[in-house]
Amino acid sequence: MKLNGFIVSLFGVILLAYLFPQGNDLLPLKTITDIGIGFIFFFYGLKLAPKEIKQGLLNYKVHIIVQLTTFVVFPLLALSYLPFFEEGTDSELWTAIFFLATLPSTVSSSIVMVALAKGNLPTAIFNASLSGLIGIFATPIWLSFILGKNADFQFIDVLIKLGWQIMLPLILGLVLQQYFGNWARKYSKQLGLFDKAIILVIVYSSFSHSFTSNLFSSIDAGGFAKLILGVLVLFFVVYYGTALVSKLLNLPTEDKITAQFCGTKKSLVHGSVMVKVIFGNAANTGLLLLPIMLFHSSQLVIIAYFAEKYRKRNLDTAEV
């Protein structure tokens, strides 16, 4: 629940972009975000803990559930929404939901919630880290496959941008991990504040472009209602679906918790970065970020509730 301040900041930045959208003209926000994105993934490479990842490596059933849910089930569910949008794949609202569905799982909040619920922490660390790496390629592949014909989307160009802005800093962080890894993990909280600051700048920049182009004025209340309902349905279908699969596979409670909590999350960090790398300064980037912000906010509250229920049950069992 400590992240609530960040959620408030996100929506505060949207209000700021609405009231003062001139920031892109007054400040070099594109340069700031480009450099910031590089540092986010450089620090991400530094913070990956090899020992903890090795501990969770062999729990293959949970890995399969989490990764298939994140990169196959979520996008297929989003595709099932198409009949509810008259414009089909040309609908910007549906595109925003589909973009959310293709993103990887988040790292920090997944691990925090699994730890709170007394789940399998090494497996959570492995899956959250693996998901972030897979997502660098899976997200643009899905977008290219579904939107390539209907959007200004050049897959090779996107891969080159991803290579320079994400993969190169990430690899550099992994190479230097033996020298600075302990430092990065020690100051992980402070580095997390840097990540959040860059995300706030990206959100401001994206929404200011959308407000100046009057993008949101073309979307009625019914469209926003579909957006919110679509985001919540995605979460609950996946949350209870992963629980059912875990039960069918006879997974222990610790592994079930990890599958549910890691499999239902979507990364706001990766979403913010991917928006800038893939779509640049397009007018609809603010709209594309809206579902992931709503999902991120709601999943923190809902998962925190479920995590506390799991934790209390574990305490009651231990007392017995």
Side-chain angles (χ1 to χ4, degrees), residues 8-57:
V8 172
S9 298
L10 283 172
F11 290 99
V13 163
I14 295 175
L15 178 61
L16 182 65
Y18 175 75
L19 296 174
F20 305 101
Q22 303 89 355
N24 285 295
D25 298 325
L26 301 174
L27 298 170
L29 296 186
K30 183 180 183 304
T31 302
I32 292 171
T33 54
D34 285 348
I35 295 172
I37 287 169
F39 274 109
I40 285 175
F41 281 88
F42 172 69
F43 294 142
Y44 180 53
L46 286 181
K47 288 186 288 186
L48 284 176
K51 290 182 180 179
E52 293 175 330
I53 291 174
K54 287 178 182 177
Q55 289 177 6
L57 182 62

Side-chain angles (χ1 to χ4, degrees), residues 13-226:
V13 163
I14 295 175
L15 178 61
L16 182 65
Y18 175 75
L19 296 174
F20 305 101
Q22 303 89 355
N24 285 295
D25 298 325
L26 301 174
L27 298 170
L29 296 186
K30 183 180 183 304
T31 302
I32 292 171
T33 54
D34 285 348
I35 295 172
I37 287 169
F39 274 109
I40 285 175
F41 281 88
F42 172 69
F43 294 142
Y44 180 53
L46 286 181
K47 288 186 288 186
L48 284 176
K51 290 182 180 179
E52 293 175 330
I53 291 174
K54 287 178 182 177
Q55 289 177 6
L57 182 62
L58 300 179
N59 203 346
Y60 69 92
K61 289 183 180 179
V62 179
H63 306 335
I64 292 172
I65 293 173
V66 172
Q67 303 308 325
L68 283 181
T69 298
T70 302
F71 296 114
V72 178
V73 175
F74 260 110
L76 291 179
L77 285 173
L79 284 171
S80 72
Y81 287 2
L82 274 173
F84 299 100
F85 294 87
E86 294 180 0
E87 298 175 346
T89 55
D90 289 329
S91 168
E92 291 184 325
L93 283 174
W94 178 83
T95 300
I97 294 175
F98 185 70
F99 175 64
L100 158 68
T102 65
L103 292 172
S105 177
T106 186
V107 176
S108 57
S109 59
S110 292
I111 295 169
V112 169
M113 295 303 178
V114 168
L116 176 63
K118 306 298 182 185
N120 190 326
L121 193 57
T123 301
I125 293 170
F126 176 86
N127 273 286
S129 302
L130 178 64
S131 179
L133 296 174
I134 294 175
I136 293 172
F137 301 98
T139 299
I141 287 173
W142 266 114
L143 294 174
S144 176
F145 182 70
I146 300 299
L147 304 178
K149 295 180 180 179
N150 300 319
D152 185 15
F153 189 96
Q154 299 297 324
F155 182 64
I156 300 300
D157 292 343
V158 168
L159 280 185
I160 293 172
K161 288 181 181 178
L162 290 172
W164 281 107
Q165 287 193 264
I166 295 177
M167 286 304 299
L168 188 60
L170 177 62
I171 293 171
L172 185 60
L174 291 171
V175 169
L176 295 177
Q177 187 181 99
Q178 58 181 319
Y179 304 108
F180 303 106
N182 290 333
W183 171 85
R185 286 185 286 274
K186 180 179 179 181
Y187 293 99
S188 179
K189 184 177 181 179
Q190 288 80 359
L191 294 177
L193 293 175
F194 173 81
D195 293 354
K196 292 180 176 66
I198 296 300
I199 291 171
L200 291 175
V201 174
I202 291 173
V203 169
Y204 171 82
S205 177
S206 299
F207 275 86
S208 63
H209 280 297
S210 297
F211 286 133
T212 52
S213 63
N214 295 317
L215 175 67
F216 291 106
S217 62
S218 63
I219 302 170
D220 57 16
F224 279 112
K226 274 197 284 189

